[in-house]
Structures are given as structure tokens and as C-alpha cells.
Amino acid sequence: MAVRSSRGGAAGWRAPVRPKPPASLELATASDAAVEDEATFRRLGFFDLDLSGRSADGAEFTQCRFRGADLSGARLEGATFADCLFESTNLANLRAQRSSMLRVRLATARMTGVQWVDGSVRDVTISDCRLDLSSWRFTDFVSVAFEGCNLAGADFQNADLRGARFTGCDLSGAQFSQATLTGTRFADCVLAGIGGVTSMAGAVVAHQDLAALSYTLAGALGIRIEDAGDG
């Protein structure tokens, strides 16, 4: 596995573009928030609303803001979130198939068990969020920053992470089998026990993170590490 030093930088990395704020924002009511097939929501503030367990195909959210809302257990198919902000929102166990995020920021959100499968994530910043046991299989990441997140046990199998950066994240036990990580950046992250470590060819890893990664790689390759003096 070719792991490059972070000093050289990852060619093509670009910081996420910030969401475009709406000129005005209207507060959504419980009746306004009827998430259903092909529903369209624009410039709405979903504050402290219970949207848990909702199910919809093709819903579109544009320039919306979620704060203190509960979307836990929701099921979305082909949903689109563009220029949206999520703050202190409960997204635990949300299931989204073939859905997209474009110019989105998520902060201090609970996202344990989120399943964002076969989707697209572009120009997105995810900071200080709980994402343990989340699944991002077959999802494409372009200009995405994970900052200070708990991603323990997260599943990135077959994901395209070439446009992703992880900073200060706990990725212990995360799965990267068959993922594409050329140019993916890792800095100040916990990388112990990750799966699919041999798929990390071309990743950019900060030197302080290499110790734990080297042990995981050695185990994957069947290399036994001995201390000096071992017989």
C-alpha cells in the first residue's frame, strides 16, 4: 500500500463550497412539514419539529434549515438536499437510497446508524457529529469534509472517497473494503482496527496517524511484529 506523506498535499482537493443562504426563511409548521412523495420544500425552517419515521420518494429540500428537528428512522428514496443547514438534528437510523446532498452543512447532529447508500455527497461539511455505525456504501464524495466526528464502525465499502477529508475523527473499526481512496486525506484521526486497509492505496495520511495504521496493515498482510529481544 502506498501511503503518502500529508506534506505533499492531495492533488485536486478543494474545500466544500458553503450553502447559499435564502434571502428570507419561513418557519415550517407541523402541517407544512408533511414529507410525502415528490414533495418540494423551499426556504423553510424546520425547528423542533418531529418528522421521525416519515417515508417519501423524490422529496426536494432547497435552502432549508433544520434545528432541533427529529428525522430519526425516516426513509427517503431519491431525495435531494441543496443549500441546507442541519444543527443539533436527530438523523439516527435515517435510510436514504440514491439521494444527494449539495452544498450542505451538518453540525452537532446525531447520525448513528444513518444509511446513505448509492448516493452523492458534494460540497458538504460534517462537523462534530455522531456517525457511528453509519453506512455510506457505493456513495460518491466530492469536496466533503468530516471534522471532529465519531465514525466508529462506519461502513464505506465501495464508496468513492477521492474527494473526502477526515480531520480529528474517530474511525476505529470503520470498513473501507473496495473503496477508492486516492487522495483522501486523514489527519489526527483514530485509524485502529479499520477494515479493508489495503484499499487505502494513494491515501494521504498525517505522520502522527501512521503508527496505528501500520499495525492494522501488518495484521491484514499477516506480518508479525516483534519487540527487540523477542526470540
Side-chain angles (χ1 to χ4, degrees), residues 131-132 146-154 156 165-176 181 185-195 197 200 204-217:
L131 290 144
D132 50 315
F146 290 92
E147 303 170 346
C149 294
N150 178 358
L151 284 150
F156 291 97
R165 180 182 66 184
F166 298 86
T167 306
C169 295
D170 182 356
L171 285 152
S172 55
Q175 179 60 253
F176 291 98
L181 291 105
R185 300 176 67 97
F186 298 87
D188 299 317
C189 292
V190 178
L191 300 173
I194 63 174
V197 65
M200 294 186 70
V204 182
V205 181
H207 64 87
Q208 64 267 26
D209 297 341
L210 280 176
L213 184 61
S214 63
Y215 281 95
T216 302
L217 178 59

Side-chain angles (χ1 to χ4, degrees), residues 116-213:
W116 196 276
V117 178
D118 195 19
S120 173
V121 183
R122 186 185 184 96
D123 287 309
V124 173
T125 300
I126 306 175
S127 60
D128 301 311
C129 292
R130 183 171 178 178
L131 290 144
D132 50 315
L133 304 178
S134 58
S135 178
W136 306 86
R137 291 188 176 195
F138 298 96
T139 291
D140 294 335
F141 294 81
V142 179
S143 297
V144 177
F146 290 92
E147 303 170 346
C149 294
N150 178 358
L151 284 150
D155 187 353
F156 291 97
Q157 291 188 64
N158 296 98
D160 188 340
L161 290 156
R162 287 177 291 181
R165 180 182 66 184
F166 298 86
T167 306
C169 295
D170 182 356
L171 285 152
S172 55
Q175 179 60 253
F176 291 98
S177 295
Q178 306 303 314
T180 303
L181 291 105
T182 303
T184 307
R185 300 176 67 97
F186 298 87
D188 299 317
C189 292
V190 178
L191 300 173
I194 63 174
V197 65
T198 54
S199 294
M200 294 186 70
V204 182
V205 181
H207 64 87
Q208 64 267 26
D209 297 341
L210 280 176
L213 184 61

Side-chain angles (χ1 to χ4, degrees), residues 3 5 12 15 48 58 60 80 86 93 114 186 196 198 208 211 220 227:
V3 179
S5 167
D48 303 311
E60 297 182 9
T80 301
F86 292 82
N93 298 314
V114 160
F186 298 87
T198 54
Q208 64 267 26
D227 293 330

Side-chain angles (χ1 to χ4, degrees), residues 29-96:
T29 64
S31 58
D32 293 329
V35 179
E36 54 191 11
D37 292 353
E38 307 299 331
T40 299
F41 304 93
R42 297 182 184 276
R43 299 182 292 278
L44 286 176
F46 295 88
F47 296 169
D48 303 311
L49 288 177
D50 185 358
L51 305 174
S52 60
R54 304 295 177 91
S55 180
D57 293 347
E60 297 182 9
F61 299 84
T62 303
Q63 291 187 313
C64 292
R65 187 171 183 174
F66 298 81
R67 187 173 67 198
D70 186 357
L71 284 82
S72 61
R75 296 173 180 266
L76 303 174
E77 179 84 22
T80 301
F81 293 87
D83 295 306
C84 293
L85 295 173
F86 292 82
E87 302 164 289
S88 303
T89 297
N90 185 3
L91 298 165
N93 298 314
L94 178 146
R95 296 186 178 184

